[in-house]
């Protein structure tokens, strides 16, 4: 879908156009969704059932039926950057992001994470809470990580427990370990 088609469909629907694609990755299929403002959602383990539920949630939250369009400019670029990331050729993402699925404290925490925790580093939940001026909010930071609509691109896998534990992860702990190993933070598992 080119930009002209996007604009026409958006005008016909009376508002927001939502496009999506599934990208294969080193951690399994990822559902990527975007609006005219940028990438709006990344969903792990995007098999058919997961994909259908995610698309229904997006339609409900954004008020537009998502359209499959892997050739849309934002999605094509996101797929290209993800491929480079998993090939070890890219350390960060340079994509427009649509933050409309998250607000308030959660958005503040995720923006700090996106800009302040680079590839190959980790941060504790409490440290991230302090960075946004809420030193007692470590548990709320954990909630923000679980609500992250843009995992991987907004790297919640880089948030760990202060005692050295890996912490939780919406994509599963095996996925988190794989991503941290890719970034050189954890050793690759032996088997």
């Amino acid at each position: 879908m080119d930009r002209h088609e996007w604009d026409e469909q958006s005008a016909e629907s009376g508002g927001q156009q939502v496009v999506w694609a599934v990208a294969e990755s080193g951690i399994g299929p990822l559902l990527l969704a975007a609006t005219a403002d940028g990438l709006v959602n990344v969903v792990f383990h995007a098999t058919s059932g997961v994909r259908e539920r995610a698309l229904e949630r997006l339609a409900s939250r954004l008020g537009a039926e998502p359209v499959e369009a892997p050739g849309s400019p934002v999605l094509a670029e996101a797929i290209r950057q993800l491929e480079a990331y998993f090939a070890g050729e890219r350390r960060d993402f340079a994509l427009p992001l649509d933050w409309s699925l998250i607000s308030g404290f959660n958005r503040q925490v995720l923006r700090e994470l996106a800009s302040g925790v680079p590839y190959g580093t980790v941060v504790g939940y409490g440290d991230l809470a302090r960075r946004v001026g809420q030193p007692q909010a470590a548990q709320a930071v954990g909630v923000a990580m679980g609500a992250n609509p843009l995992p991987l691109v907004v790297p919640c896998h880089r948030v760990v427990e202060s005692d050295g534990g890996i912490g939780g992860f919406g994509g599963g702990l095996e996925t988190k370990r794989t991503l941290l190993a890719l970034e050189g933070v954890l050793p690759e598992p032996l088997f």
Side-chain angles (χ1 to χ4, degrees):
M1 174 180 295
D2 67 23
R3 180 70 193 188
H4 177 71
E5 292 171 312
W6 176 296
D7 291 341
E8 272 184 20
Q9 282 195 348
S10 189
E12 287 171 12
S13 69
Q16 177 128 267
Q17 173 73 31
V18 181
V19 292
W20 66 275
V22 173
E24 292 302 320
S25 76
I27 53 172
L30 300 170
L31 171 73
L32 308 175
T35 66
D37 292 331
L39 192 66
V40 72
N41 202 201
V42 176
V43 178
F44 292 112
H45 315 298
T47 57
S48 61
V50 169
R51 184 176 63 242
E52 287 172 27
R53 286 188 299 279
L55 292 172
E56 286 171 10
R57 273 193 315 274
L58 280 169
S60 173
R61 301 252 341 251
L62 297 174
E65 195 64 38
V67 175
E68 187 172 14
S72 79
V74 172
L75 293 179
E77 181 59 18
I79 291 168
R80 189 186 71 70
Q81 289 187 29
L82 283 165
E83 287 171 350
Y85 171 82
F86 283 106
E89 299 163 359
R90 182 170 203 84
R91 293 178 162 242
D92 55 9
F93 297 96
L95 297 166
L97 301 179
D98 177 340
W99 293 93
S100 64
L101 293 177
I102 196 123
S103 61
F105 177 79
N106 291 353
R107 183 187 291 190
Q108 181 184 10
V109 168
L110 292 172
R111 283 182 177 268
E112 173 59 30
L113 175 63
S115 65
V117 183
Y119 182 99
T121 65
V122 294
V123 65
Y125 294 94
D127 292 333
L128 197 50
R130 280 188 285 286
R131 288 186 187 193
V132 297
Q134 301 288 330
Q136 303 304 314
Q139 195 168 9
V141 166
V143 172
M145 295 305 103
N148 183 2
L150 295 160
L152 191 56
V153 176
V154 177
C156 53
H157 60 278
R158 296 180 189 151
V159 183
V160 297
E161 295 174 349
S162 60
D163 65 2
I166 195 167
F169 191 61
L173 293 182
E174 183 179 324
T175 298
K176 185 171 187 173
R177 283 187 189 97
T178 300
L179 293 171
L180 291 173
L182 174 71
E183 294 188 11
V185 177
L186 289 177
E188 284 281 357
L190 296 176
F191 46 87

